[in-house]
mmCIF file with all atom_site columns, all heavy atoms in Angstrom:
data_model
loop_
_atom_site.group_PDB
_atom_site.id
_atom_site.type_symbol
_atom_site.label_atom_id
_atom_site.label_alt_id
_atom_site.label_comp_id
_atom_site.label_asym_id
_atom_site.label_entity_id
_atom_site.label_seq_id
_atom_site.pdbx_PDB_ins_code
_atom_site.Cartn_x
_atom_site.Cartn_y
_atom_site.Cartn_z
_atom_site.occupancy
_atom_site.B_iso_or_equiv
_atom_site.pdbx_formal_charge
_atom_site.auth_seq_id
_atom_site.auth_comp_id
_atom_site.auth_asym_id
_atom_site.auth_atom_id
_atom_site.pdbx_PDB_model_num
ATOM 1   N N   . PRO G 1 104 ? -1.990 -7.200  14.911 1.00 92.00 ? 123 PRO G N   1
ATOM 2   C CA  . PRO G 1 104 ? -2.011 -7.198  16.387 1.00 92.00 ? 123 PRO G CA  1
ATOM 3   C C   . PRO G 1 104 ? -1.677 -8.555  16.984 1.00 92.00 ? 123 PRO G C   1
ATOM 4   O O   . PRO G 1 104 ? -1.079 -8.628  18.063 1.00 92.00 ? 123 PRO G O   1
ATOM 5   C CB  . PRO G 1 104 ? -3.455 -6.774  16.715 1.00 92.00 ? 123 PRO G CB  1
ATOM 6   C CG  . PRO G 1 104 ? -4.232 -7.034  15.482 1.00 92.00 ? 123 PRO G CG  1
ATOM 7   C CD  . PRO G 1 104 ? -3.297 -6.848  14.341 1.00 92.00 ? 123 PRO G CD  1
ATOM 8   N N   . ARG G 1 105 ? -2.020 -9.627  16.299 1.00 93.00 ? 124 ARG G N   1
ATOM 9   C CA  . ARG G 1 105 ? -1.678 -10.959 16.785 1.00 93.00 ? 124 ARG G CA  1
ATOM 10  C C   . ARG G 1 105 ? -0.173 -11.200 16.684 1.00 93.00 ? 124 ARG G C   1
ATOM 11  O O   . ARG G 1 105 ? 0.425  -11.847 17.548 1.00 93.00 ? 124 ARG G O   1
ATOM 12  C CB  . ARG G 1 105 ? -2.448 -12.018 15.999 1.00 93.00 ? 124 ARG G CB  1
ATOM 13  C CG  . ARG G 1 105 ? -3.946 -11.997 16.283 1.00 93.00 ? 124 ARG G CG  1
ATOM 14  C CD  . ARG G 1 105 ? -4.731 -12.854 15.300 1.00 93.00 ? 124 ARG G CD  1
ATOM 15  N NE  . ARG G 1 105 ? -6.127 -12.973 15.697 1.00 93.00 ? 124 ARG G NE  1
ATOM 16  C CZ  . ARG G 1 105 ? -7.059 -12.057 15.464 1.00 93.00 ? 124 ARG G CZ  1
ATOM 17  N NH1 . ARG G 1 105 ? -6.733 -10.941 14.815 1.00 93.00 ? 124 ARG G NH1 1
ATOM 18  N NH2 . ARG G 1 105 ? -8.299 -12.240 15.866 1.00 93.00 ? 124 ARG G NH2 1
ATOM 19  N N   . MET G 1 106 ? 0.432  -10.651 15.636 1.00 92.00 ? 125 MET G N   1
ATOM 20  C CA  . MET G 1 106 ? 1.876  -10.740 15.498 1.00 92.00 ? 125 MET G CA  1
ATOM 21  C C   . MET G 1 106 ? 2.573  -9.969  16.616 1.00 92.00 ? 125 MET G C   1
ATOM 22  O O   . MET G 1 106 ? 3.549  -10.455 17.216 1.00 92.00 ? 125 MET G O   1
ATOM 23  C CB  . MET G 1 106 ? 2.290  -10.192 14.122 1.00 92.00 ? 125 MET G CB  1
ATOM 24  C CG  . MET G 1 106 ? 3.745  -10.405 13.760 1.00 92.00 ? 125 MET G CG  1
ATOM 25  S SD  . MET G 1 106 ? 4.165  -9.702  12.139 1.00 92.00 ? 125 MET G SD  1
ATOM 26  C CE  . MET G 1 106 ? 3.263  -10.812 11.058 1.00 92.00 ? 125 MET G CE  1
ATOM 27  N N   . ALA G 1 107 ? 2.068  -8.781  16.924 1.00 92.00 ? 126 ALA G N   1
ATOM 28  C CA  . ALA G 1 107 ? 2.655  -7.969  17.997 1.00 92.00 ? 126 ALA G CA  1
ATOM 29  C C   . ALA G 1 107 ? 2.507  -8.676  19.347 1.00 92.00 ? 126 ALA G C   1
ATOM 30  O O   . ALA G 1 107 ? 3.434  -8.667  20.169 1.00 92.00 ? 126 ALA G O   1
ATOM 31  C CB  . ALA G 1 107 ? 1.984  -6.597  18.025 1.00 92.00 ? 126 ALA G CB  1
ATOM 32  N N   . GLU G 1 108 ? 1.350  -9.289  19.587 1.00 93.00 ? 127 GLU G N   1
ATOM 33  C CA  . GLU G 1 108 ? 1.128  -9.999  20.847 1.00 93.00 ? 127 GLU G CA  1
ATOM 34  C C   . GLU G 1 108 ? 2.077  -11.185 20.971 1.00 93.00 ? 127 GLU G C   1
ATOM 35  O O   . GLU G 1 108 ? 2.632  -11.452 22.049 1.00 93.00 ? 127 GLU G O   1
ATOM 36  C CB  . GLU G 1 108 ? -0.325 -10.460 20.919 1.00 93.00 ? 127 GLU G CB  1
ATOM 37  C CG  . GLU G 1 108 ? -0.734 -11.053 22.257 1.00 93.00 ? 127 GLU G CG  1
ATOM 38  C CD  . GLU G 1 108 ? -0.460 -12.536 22.366 1.00 93.00 ? 127 GLU G CD  1
ATOM 39  O OE1 . GLU G 1 108 ? -0.373 -13.204 21.312 1.00 93.00 ? 127 GLU G OE1 1
ATOM 40  O OE2 . GLU G 1 108 ? -0.330 -13.038 23.500 1.00 93.00 ? 127 GLU G OE2 1
ATOM 41  N N   . THR G 1 109 ? 2.288  -11.888 19.866 1.00 93.00 ? 128 THR G N   1
ATOM 42  C CA  . THR G 1 109 ? 3.192  -13.042 19.877 1.00 93.00 ? 128 THR G CA  1
ATOM 43  C C   . THR G 1 109 ? 4.616  -12.617 20.193 1.00 93.00 ? 128 THR G C   1
ATOM 44  O O   . THR G 1 109 ? 5.303  -13.251 20.999 1.00 93.00 ? 128 THR G O   1
ATOM 45  C CB  . THR G 1 109 ? 3.155  -13.760 18.520 1.00 93.00 ? 128 THR G CB  1
ATOM 46  O OG1 . THR G 1 109 ? 1.827  -14.246 18.283 1.00 93.00 ? 128 THR G OG1 1
ATOM 47  C CG2 . THR G 1 109 ? 4.125  -14.934 18.494 1.00 93.00 ? 128 THR G CG2 1
ATOM 48  N N   . PHE G 1 110 ? 5.071  -11.519 19.584 1.00 92.00 ? 129 PHE G N   1
ATOM 49  C CA  . PHE G 1 110 ? 6.440  -11.064 19.840 1.00 92.00 ? 129 PHE G CA  1
ATOM 50  C C   . PHE G 1 110 ? 6.579  -10.534 21.262 1.00 92.00 ? 129 PHE G C   1
ATOM 51  O O   . PHE G 1 110 ? 7.622  -10.716 21.906 1.00 92.00 ? 129 PHE G O   1
ATOM 52  C CB  . PHE G 1 110 ? 6.829  -9.978  18.836 1.00 92.00 ? 129 PHE G CB  1
ATOM 53  C CG  . PHE G 1 110 ? 8.271  -9.564  18.934 1.00 92.00 ? 129 PHE G CG  1
ATOM 54  C CD1 . PHE G 1 110 ? 9.282  -10.427 18.558 1.00 92.00 ? 129 PHE G CD1 1
ATOM 55  C CD2 . PHE G 1 110 ? 8.614  -8.304  19.417 1.00 92.00 ? 129 PHE G CD2 1
ATOM 56  C CE1 . PHE G 1 110 ? 10.615 -10.045 18.648 1.00 92.00 ? 129 PHE G CE1 1
ATOM 57  C CE2 . PHE G 1 110 ? 9.940  -7.916  19.504 1.00 92.00 ? 129 PHE G CE2 1
ATOM 58  C CZ  . PHE G 1 110 ? 10.947 -8.797  19.125 1.00 92.00 ? 129 PHE G CZ  1
ATOM 59  N N   . GLY G 1 111 ? 5.548  -9.873  21.768 1.00 90.00 ? 130 GLY G N   1
ATOM 60  C CA  . GLY G 1 111 ? 5.603  -9.395  23.140 1.00 90.00 ? 130 GLY G CA  1
ATOM 61  C C   . GLY G 1 111 ? 5.706  -10.536 24.141 1.00 90.00 ? 130 GLY G C   1
ATOM 62  O O   . GLY G 1 111 ? 6.307  -10.387 25.207 1.00 90.00 ? 130 GLY G O   1
ATOM 63  N N   . ARG G 1 112 ? 5.136  -11.683 23.807 1.00 90.00 ? 131 ARG G N   1
ATOM 64  C CA  . ARG G 1 112 ? 5.169  -12.830 24.701 1.00 90.00 ? 131 ARG G CA  1
ATOM 65  C C   . ARG G 1 112 ? 6.454  -13.631 24.569 1.00 90.00 ? 131 ARG G C   1
ATOM 66  O O   . ARG G 1 112 ? 7.004  -14.113 25.555 1.00 90.00 ? 131 ARG G O   1
ATOM 67  C CB  . ARG G 1 112 ? 3.970  -13.738 24.416 1.00 90.00 ? 131 ARG G CB  1
ATOM 68  C CG  . ARG G 1 112 ? 3.801  -14.901 25.399 1.00 90.00 ? 131 ARG G CG  1
ATOM 69  C CD  . ARG G 1 112 ? 2.575  -15.751 25.097 1.00 90.00 ? 131 ARG G CD  1
ATOM 70  N NE  . ARG G 1 112 ? 2.658  -16.398 23.800 1.00 90.00 ? 131 ARG G NE  1
ATOM 71  C CZ  . ARG G 1 112 ? 1.929  -16.092 22.752 1.00 90.00 ? 131 ARG G CZ  1
ATOM 72  N NH1 . ARG G 1 112 ? 1.044  -15.107 22.825 1.00 90.00 ? 131 ARG G NH1 1
ATOM 73  N NH2 . ARG G 1 112 ? 2.067  -16.734 21.609 1.00 90.00 ? 131 ARG G NH2 1
ATOM 74  N N   . SER G 1 113 ? 6.956  -13.791 23.329 1.00 89.00 ? 132 SER G N   1
ATOM 75  C CA  . SER G 1 113 ? 8.103  -14.683 23.091 1.00 89.00 ? 132 SER G CA  1
ATOM 76  C C   . SER G 1 113 ? 9.418  -13.954 22.869 1.00 89.00 ? 132 SER G C   1
ATOM 77  O O   . SER G 1 113 ? 10.493 -14.501 23.152 1.00 89.00 ? 132 SER G O   1
ATOM 78  C CB  . SER G 1 113 ? 7.826  -15.565 21.872 1.00 89.00 ? 132 SER G CB  1
ATOM 79  O OG  . SER G 1 113 ? 7.763  -14.770 20.693 1.00 89.00 ? 132 SER G OG  1
ATOM 80  N N   . SER G 1 114 ? 9.365  -12.723 22.330 1.00 87.00 ? 133 SER G N   1
ATOM 81  C CA  . SER G 1 114 ? 10.566 -11.934 22.003 1.00 87.00 ? 133 SER G CA  1
ATOM 82  C C   . SER G 1 114 ? 11.507 -12.664 21.060 1.00 87.00 ? 133 SER G C   1
ATOM 83  O O   . SER G 1 114 ? 12.712 -12.449 21.089 1.00 87.00 ? 133 SER G O   1
ATOM 84  C CB  . SER G 1 114 ? 11.319 -11.545 23.291 1.00 87.00 ? 133 SER G CB  1
ATOM 85  O OG  . SER G 1 114 ? 10.522 -10.734 24.115 1.00 87.00 ? 133 SER G OG  1
ATOM 86  N N   . THR G 1 115 ? 10.966 -13.529 20.203 1.00 90.00 ? 134 THR G N   1
ATOM 87  C CA  . THR G 1 115 ? 11.782 -14.250 19.222 1.00 90.00 ? 134 THR G CA  1
ATOM 88  C C   . THR G 1 115 ? 11.255 -13.971 17.819 1.00 90.00 ? 134 THR G C   1
ATOM 89  O O   . THR G 1 115 ? 10.041 -13.942 17.595 1.00 90.00 ? 134 THR G O   1
ATOM 90  C CB  . THR G 1 115 ? 11.771 -15.766 19.486 1.00 90.00 ? 134 THR G CB  1
ATOM 91  O OG1 . THR G 1 115 ? 10.429 -16.254 19.392 1.00 90.00 ? 134 THR G OG1 1
ATOM 92  C CG2 . THR G 1 115 ? 12.329 -16.073 20.870 1.00 90.00 ? 134 THR G CG2 1
ATOM 93  N N   . TYR G 1 116 ? 12.194 -13.787 16.899 1.00 91.00 ? 135 TYR G N   1
ATOM 94  C CA  . TYR G 1 116 ? 11.817 -13.540 15.511 1.00 91.00 ? 135 TYR G CA  1
ATOM 95  C C   . TYR G 1 116 ? 11.124 -14.756 14.900 1.00 91.00 ? 135 TYR G C   1
ATOM 96  O O   . TYR G 1 116 ? 10.166 -14.627 14.132 1.00 91.00 ? 135 TYR G O   1
ATOM 97  C CB  . TYR G 1 116 ? 13.047 -13.193 14.688 1.00 91.00 ? 135 TYR G CB  1
ATOM 98  C CG  . TYR G 1 116 ? 13.635 -11.822 14.959 1.00 91.00 ? 135 TYR G CG  1
ATOM 99  C CD1 . TYR G 1 116 ? 13.122 -10.993 15.942 1.00 91.00 ? 135 TYR G CD1 1
ATOM 100 C CD2 . TYR G 1 116 ? 14.716 -11.363 14.218 1.00 91.00 ? 135 TYR G CD2 1
ATOM 101 C CE1 . TYR G 1 116 ? 13.668 -9.751  16.193 1.00 91.00 ? 135 TYR G CE1 1
ATOM 102 C CE2 . TYR G 1 116 ? 15.273 -10.114 14.458 1.00 91.00 ? 135 TYR G CE2 1
ATOM 103 C CZ  . TYR G 1 116 ? 14.744 -9.313  15.449 1.00 91.00 ? 135 TYR G CZ  1
ATOM 104 O OH  . TYR G 1 116 ? 15.276 -8.081  15.687 1.00 91.00 ? 135 TYR G OH  1
#
Side-chain angles (χ1 to χ4, degrees):
R124 291 169 172 81
M125 188 181 291
E127 188 273 337
T128 298
F129 186 69
R131 187 178 63 250
S132 66
S133 298
T134 61
Y135 288 4

